[in-house]
């Protein structure tokens, strides 16, 4: 009975890693759709989000079932609570990729990103992909040091987010209101995506150490 219980606990980690893989793929395709006005990719991202939502629901069901049947304490309880939190963050990251894909679909057949912003948006997409890939590795390995690294990646995303606004607010901006709104929203989606990746890593750190990253930093 206890072996089956711990197999179910282990399966939560496997499902979370699978969510990171799906979300990474969704973000990669959403960014390409946004930059290249690729309607097919947009639709793939939007329809594919059902799979992410399905795994999120499975994790929630498993967590509540184990809490009811096993009444876990200490480390096992922490595992269940953090799994639930991480699943929620990853589900939201999938939603953010969908928002980006919908922006691309709305502006098709034109690109939603003017030429002078393409490089910045591409870099934001690359950072988002790197962060979710690293998040998957952190969940699988429970590597605290790697988990703490995501803050630096988030700082890079924040800098690019500010760069978008510098360009949008420049007197040289000549594309009007609608593209400015699209870019403002897309920038926010990328920024929030990075924040959720950091939250997932923070929960892994808490799972392993029992401390929040800020507490570890204060002690170091």
């Amino acid at each position: 009975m206890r072996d089956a219980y711990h197999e179910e606990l282990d399966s939560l980690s496997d499902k979370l890693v699978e969510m990171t893989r799906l979300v990474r793929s969704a973000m990669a395709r959403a960014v390409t759709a946004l930059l290249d006005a690729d309607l097919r990719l947009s639709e793939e991202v939007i329809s594919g989000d059902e799979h992410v939502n399905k795994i999120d629901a499975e994790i929630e069901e498993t967590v509540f079932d184990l809490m009811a049947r096993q009444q876990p304490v200490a480390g096992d309880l922490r595992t269940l609570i953090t799994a639930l939190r991480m699943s929620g963050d990853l589900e939201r990251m999938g939603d953010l990729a969908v928002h980006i894909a919908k922006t691309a679909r709305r502006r098709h057949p034109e690109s939603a990103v003017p030429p002078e912003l393409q490089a910045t948006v591409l870099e934001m997409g690359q950072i988002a992909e790197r962060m979710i890939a690293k998040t998957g590795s952190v969940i699988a390995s429970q590597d605290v040091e790697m988990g703490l690294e995501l803050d630096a990646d988030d700082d890079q995303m924040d800098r690019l987010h500010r760069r978008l606004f510098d360009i949008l607010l420049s007197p040289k901006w000549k594309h009007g209101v609608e593209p400015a709104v699209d870019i403002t929203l897309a920038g926010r989606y990328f920024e929030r995506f990075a924040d959720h990746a950091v939250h997932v890593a923070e929960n892994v750190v808490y799972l392993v150490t029992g401390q929040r990253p800020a507490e570890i930093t204060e002690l170091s």
Side-chain angles (χ1 to χ4, degrees), residues 33-48:
L34 187 68
L35 294 173
D36 297 346
D38 190 320
L39 184 60
R40 179 184 60 81
L41 282 180
S42 298
E43 298 292 358
E44 284 182 6
V45 173
I46 293 164
S47 62

Side-chain angles (χ1 to χ4, degrees), residues 1-219:
M1 181 68 71
R2 298 301 294 178
D3 286 344
Y5 167 54
H6 284 99
E7 283 178 9
E8 288 184 276
L9 284 177
D10 291 341
S11 76
L12 292 174
S13 178
D14 294 338
K15 288 180 178 179
L16 289 167
V17 171
E18 175 66 5
M19 287 182 79
T20 67
R21 187 189 67 79
L22 292 169
V23 169
R24 181 184 183 184
S25 175
M27 177 54 79
R29 288 177 292 160
V31 172
T32 299
L34 187 68
L35 294 173
D36 297 346
D38 190 320
L39 184 60
R40 179 184 60 81
L41 282 180
S42 298
E43 298 292 358
E44 284 182 6
V45 173
I46 293 164
S47 62
D49 192 49
E50 285 187 18
H51 195 177
V52 176
N53 294 341
K54 180 175 180 290
I55 298 176
D56 177 49
E58 289 173 355
I59 289 173
E60 182 176 302
E61 183 179 353
T62 299
V63 168
F64 289 153
D65 179 64
L66 289 175
M67 290 179 74
R69 287 191 295 108
Q70 302 292 340
Q71 298 182 336
V73 295
D76 287 351
L77 180 60
R78 195 157 68 209
T79 295
L80 294 176
I81 296 300
T82 54
L84 202 57
R85 289 173 175 169
M86 288 188 281
S87 179
D89 277 312
L90 291 168
E91 189 274 335
R92 183 59 183 144
M93 292 169 82
D95 288 345
L96 291 165
V98 168
H99 291 334
I100 292 171
K102 286 182 175 179
T103 300
R105 184 177 67 177
R106 186 167 60 249
R107 293 302 169 207
H108 184 268
E110 304 296 326
S111 171
V113 184
E116 62 266 41
L117 285 174
Q118 291 252 337
T120 300
V121 170
L122 175 61
E123 189 174 354
M124 293 178 85
Q126 290 170 340
I127 291 173
E129 281 189 65
R130 184 167 72 241
M131 291 184 75
I132 187 60
K134 191 176 290 186
T135 299
S137 296
V138 169
I139 293 171
S141 65
Q142 297 193 349
D143 187 328
V144 170
E145 291 301 318
M146 188 186 300
L148 295 173
E149 290 173 7
L150 268 84
D151 262 338
D153 295 322
D154 188 41
D155 289 342
Q156 291 183 41
M157 185 70 87
D158 289 340
R159 283 194 292 272
L160 291 172
H161 192 210
R162 289 192 294 271
R163 185 191 299 172
L164 283 184
F165 278 102
D166 289 341
I167 296 172
L168 290 172
L169 296 174
S170 167
K172 296 180 180 179
W173 180 257
K174 59 183 180 181
H175 302 285
V177 174
E178 285 192 0
V181 170
D182 286 339
I183 294 300
T184 299
L185 290 174
R188 178 61 174 162
Y189 300 148
F190 283 121
E191 191 259 345
R192 289 300 299 149
F193 188 95
D195 287 346
H196 283 292
V198 171
H199 292 164
V200 173
E202 287 177 344
N203 275 293
V204 174
V205 171
Y206 175 70
L207 172 64
V208 175
T209 67
Q211 295 178 304
R212 293 297 176 186
E215 297 171 324
I216 295 173
T217 304
E218 288 173 2
L219 293 174

